[in-house]
Amino acid sequence: MRWSASADRRVVAAVVATFCDSAERSHARLATFKYRDWVRTYHWLDASGLALYVLNELCRLGIEDALPPAVLMRLRQNLADNQLRSADLFAEFTALNRGFQLAGLLYSNLKGFSLSPESCPDPVLRCQLDLDFLVDVRHLKTCQEILARSGYLLTAASEKVWEFKAGSSELVSIADHYKARPQRSVELHFAASPNGIGSIDERLDRLRLH
């Protein structure tokens, strides 16, 4: 990831070190930074996806007081907003999975909620933007029909991915980065040969109920 022009590299290095260092040394290192140092690094924390992981790690180590009160308050508000947004997205995730299952489709969830708990301890720590599904290419049209009933329109298509959008197309401001979004996004991934003729993705042979 490219450095943000405003990021304080000392804060970035200290944040990264927190995930592998002791609570005592992490506290001592983080406590040296002023409020303005953290403000300069807000963009990096959000863009890197580490902001909520950092808060979770500080709470786990019991060193939240190493941060200026206003910074800690911001992180806690981000987490509260993301909990609501994740719940809203999970409801959509559940509804689409139910629709695919009732239709008897061969498919799997990709990324997102499926990363927990093996790769992500808690989905609310991730700022998930869309829902991804791996589908049997023979079921693409049926998937499109199910998504259409939920308000989704096909907005982009390539040899291996179809992208769908629903809701408002209004861009979200950085201030609302962790809040529920007016726009919903779904990507359907599928295997295709170089000439564009679909084939069954071998990953679908390894489906596991989770």
Side-chain angles (χ1 to χ4, degrees):
M1 173 175 292
R2 295 178 59 187
W3 287 93
S4 165
S6 61
D8 188 313
R9 295 197 177 199
R10 299 171 305 147
V11 176
V12 170
V15 164
V16 173
T18 300
F19 292 96
C20 57
D21 212 342
S22 68
E24 293 75 15
R25 289 199 292 187
S26 294
H27 185 285
R29 189 163 41 234
L30 294 171
T32 62
F33 301 116
K34 305 297 183 183
Y35 173 70
R36 63 177 179 272
D37 301 324
W38 286 99
V39 171
R40 289 179 56 195
T41 315
Y42 278 165
H43 177 78
W44 178 82
L45 282 170
D46 296 333
S48 68
L50 284 178
L52 302 184
Y53 283 99
V54 170
L55 176 61
N56 184 68
E57 186 66 7
L58 295 180
C59 292
R60 187 185 71 81
L61 296 174
I63 57 173
E64 308 98 300
D65 62 339
L67 273 57
V71 176
L72 184 59
M73 183 181 301
R74 181 187 191 271
L75 291 176
R76 285 175 170 165
Q77 184 60 56
N78 289 344
L79 178 60
D81 289 340
N82 204 53
Q83 286 173 327
L84 294 175
R85 192 177 65 83
S86 294
D88 185 63
L89 188 60
F90 191 76
E92 184 76 356
F93 171 79
T94 302
L96 293 180
N97 271 276
R98 185 180 296 113
F100 289 172
Q101 290 167 10
L102 289 175
L105 304 184
L106 180 59
Y107 81 99
S108 174
N109 294 286
L110 284 181
K111 302 181 285 185
F113 292 112
S114 68
L115 295 176
S116 181
E118 288 84 0
S119 300
C120 173
D122 189 334
V124 302
L125 300 180
R126 298 184 70 250
C127 192
Q128 186 173 334
L129 301 178
D130 59 11
L131 299 174
D132 294 83
F133 298 92
L134 174 66
V135 302
D136 184 330
V137 69
R138 296 170 301 178
H139 296 159
L140 273 175
K141 287 297 184 181
T142 304
C143 288
Q144 183 176 9
E145 292 169 2
I146 293 172
L147 290 172
R149 292 199 292 269
S150 295
Y152 287 90
L153 295 175
L154 181 64
T155 57
S158 68
E159 288 188 345
K160 294 186 178 181
V161 182
W162 283 7
E163 299 178 28
F164 297 81
K165 302 290 185 185
S168 172
S169 59
E170 181 181 352
L171 295 177
V172 177
S173 70
I174 190 64
D176 296 328
H177 183 59
Y178 297 95
K179 295 181 179 179
R181 301 187 176 223
Q183 185 181 77
R184 295 170 289 153
S185 302
V186 167
E187 290 187 1
L188 299 181
H189 301 257
F190 52 93
S193 61
N195 62 7
I197 300 175
S199 59
I200 297 177
D201 194 310
E202 63 178 12
R203 288 175 292 178
L204 290 171
D205 293 330
R206 303 194 300 272
L207 289 176
R208 178 168 63 89
L209 187 62
H210 181 59

